[in-house]
Amino acid sequence: MNYFRKLFRRAKSPKSLLRDQRGLSTVEYVILLVLIAASAITLWVTFGTSIRTKIAAANTEMEGVKIGKDH
């Protein structure tokens, strides 16, 4: 809270507070991190479903295959 008080005291006018961009890069990094995380989760769900479907199909095909001398 003291940080904001000092910042407000140093400001000449409310417009100078709006032009202050010191914390802007942190916000940009957080937004970028959220976008990357959302993309990664979407890809994980999409590819996970696709792989699960292909493994189930391969398992179904393999159920009828006999292994051994009785072939």
Side-chain angles (χ1 to χ4, degrees), residues 26-71:
T26 305
V27 173
E28 290 169 348
Y29 285 128
V30 169
I31 291 171
L32 185 62
L33 180 65
V34 168
L35 289 174
I36 290 171
S39 299
I41 290 169
T42 302
L43 287 173
W44 182 269
V45 169
T46 302
F47 285 125
T49 303
S50 176
I51 290 171
R52 196 175 310 122
T53 303
K54 289 182 181 190
I55 290 175
N59 189 28
T60 302
E61 289 180 23
M62 294 298 287
E63 285 178 355
V65 175
K66 293 184 180 180
I67 300 174
K69 295 180 182 179
D70 296 336
H71 189 188

